[in-house]
């Protein structure tokens, strides 16, 4: 199979959410070109990052080199890079890379979206968004990223909520902004928002090293209600508009 090339000229406008049937990210065993070209600057930036937050860990994750949307799905090619390389890319947003990550839209029986507030020791302190994380080496199965497995693992680790117990909508939705690509899947629970938030609180209390400070039930699309990252307000607007039309 030849090298994959991106087709961003055919993508929807930034902030527009579209349905997709599937996500296929294959992993190239070679070093990411961005990492090779920026490794020294990435390490210099890493020293600044850990000076500001010594809790950060330079683990490994998948950073995409190319992405295509075609035939109702997104295809991509990624490389395993140090987290320090990703943090540097996040500042530069260089054209040689993309960051694709998947997030669950966890919906309660009374119409709330369950988000979490990240801990002060994380790379996104006090930010409010869905429990999620970058694709990691443990998500790679037979040379491809297991998107559903990644989403379940991250949600379970952060919140104690098992997505395997939810009613799952088929397919995904996709949003892109500034070379960051968010893949969204809807998970519905029979519990109320209060019950789900309480479940997360119990998980945090029992976790010796929790990643999050709390779970928050969101009942509307107000973009200023919490400290959201830029990709969350478009998702809230789309999701709550969609729910009222069902």
């Amino acid at each position: 199979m030849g090298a994959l090339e991106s087709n961003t000229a055919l993508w929807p406008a930034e902030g527009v959410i579209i349905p997709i049937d599937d996500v296929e990210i294959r992993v190239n065993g070679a070093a990411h070109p961005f990492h090779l070209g920026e490794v020294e600057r990435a390490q210099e930036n890493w020293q600044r990052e850990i000076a500001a937050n010594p809790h950060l860990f330079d683990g490994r994750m998948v950073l995409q080199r190319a992405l295509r949307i075609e035939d109702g799905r997104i295809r991509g090619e990624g490389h395993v890079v140090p987290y320090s390389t990703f943090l540097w890319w996040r500042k530069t947003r260089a054209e040689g890379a993309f960051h694709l990550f998947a997030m669950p839209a966890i919906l309660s029986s009374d119409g709330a979206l369950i988000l979490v507030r990240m801990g002060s020791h994380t790379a996104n302190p006090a930010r409010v968004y869905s429990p999620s994380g970058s694709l990691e080496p443990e998500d790679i199965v037979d040379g491809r990223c297991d998107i559903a497995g990644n989403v379940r693992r991250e949600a379970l680790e952060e919140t104690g909520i098992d997505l395997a117990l939810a009613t799952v909508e088929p397919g995904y939705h996709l949003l892109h902004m500034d070379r960051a690509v968010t893949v969204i899947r809807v998970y519905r629970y029979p519990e109320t928002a209060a019950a789900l938030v309480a479940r997360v609180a119990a998980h945090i209390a029992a976790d010796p090293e929790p990643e999050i400070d709390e779970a928050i039930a969101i009942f509307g699309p107000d973009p200023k209600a919490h400290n959201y990252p830029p990709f969350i307000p478009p998702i809230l607007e789309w999701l709550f508009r969609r729910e009222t039309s069902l």
Side-chain angles (χ1 to χ4, degrees):
M1 184 179 295
L4 189 75
E5 298 297 332
S6 303
N7 63 349
T8 52
L10 303 179
W11 291 14
E14 291 200 359
V16 174
I17 296 174
I18 63 170
I20 54 172
D21 296 325
D22 202 4
V23 184
E24 180 185 307
I25 305 294
R26 72 185 189 193
V27 180
N28 188 318
H32 197 299
F34 176 80
H35 174 72
L36 289 176
E38 297 289 324
V39 62
E40 291 185 7
R41 283 177 284 272
Q43 280 303 306
E44 291 170 358
N45 180 69
W46 178 248
Q47 295 307 312
R48 294 189 292 270
E49 296 279 1
I50 59 175
N53 185 353
H55 298 286
L56 294 178
F57 172 66
D58 198 10
R60 297 294 182 268
M61 56 164 287
V62 179
L63 184 65
Q64 289 73 36
R65 180 197 62 79
L67 292 173
R68 292 180 66 85
I69 300 174
E70 60 182 5
D71 299 327
R73 63 176 180 162
I74 187 163
R75 296 176 56 220
E77 182 173 271
H79 304 250
V80 176
V81 303
Y83 189 64
S84 52
T85 292
F86 164 69
L87 286 185
W88 176 237
W89 174 83
R90 192 168 71 169
K91 288 185 175 180
T92 65
R93 303 285 172 156
E95 291 190 1
F98 299 87
H99 180 223
L100 180 144
F101 66 99
M103 60 161 273
I106 299 173
L107 297 178
S108 67
S109 60
D110 50 350
L113 172 66
I114 306 301
L115 301 183
V116 298
R117 189 187 313 279
M118 299 304 295
S120 60
H121 59 290
T122 68
N124 301 298
R127 288 289 205 178
V128 174
Y129 53 90
S130 183
S132 57
S134 298
L135 294 163
E136 298 179 2
E138 63 190 285
D139 300 315
I140 301 171
V141 179
D142 296 330
R144 286 172 166 76
C145 292
D146 178 5
I147 301 297
N150 164 267
V151 174
R152 183 187 180 195
R153 176 179 60 79
E154 291 285 352
L156 194 60
E157 289 176 356
E158 292 184 15
T159 69
I161 294 176
D162 189 350
L163 299 180
L165 303 178
T167 299
V168 187
E169 289 194 5
Y172 300 86
H173 285 80
L174 179 144
L175 163 77
H176 76 99
M177 297 176 68
D178 199 12
R179 305 188 72 81
V181 178
T182 309
V183 174
I184 309 147
R185 196 170 209 177
V186 177
Y187 297 80
R188 298 182 184 274
Y189 283 83
E191 294 98 327
T192 64
L196 290 171
V197 168
R199 188 194 303 183
V200 177
H203 175 79
I204 294 170
D207 189 342
E209 296 181 344
E211 290 186 58
I212 65 174
D213 287 341
E214 63 176 336
I216 303 171
I218 307 298
F219 285 92
D222 180 1
K224 297 180 180 179
H226 296 281
N227 183 18
Y228 297 129
F231 65 90
I232 287 294
I235 293 173
L236 297 179
E237 179 65 30
W238 162 78
L239 185 66
F240 285 104
R241 182 176 67 247
R242 178 178 181 268
E243 288 300 294
T244 58
S245 67
L246 291 179

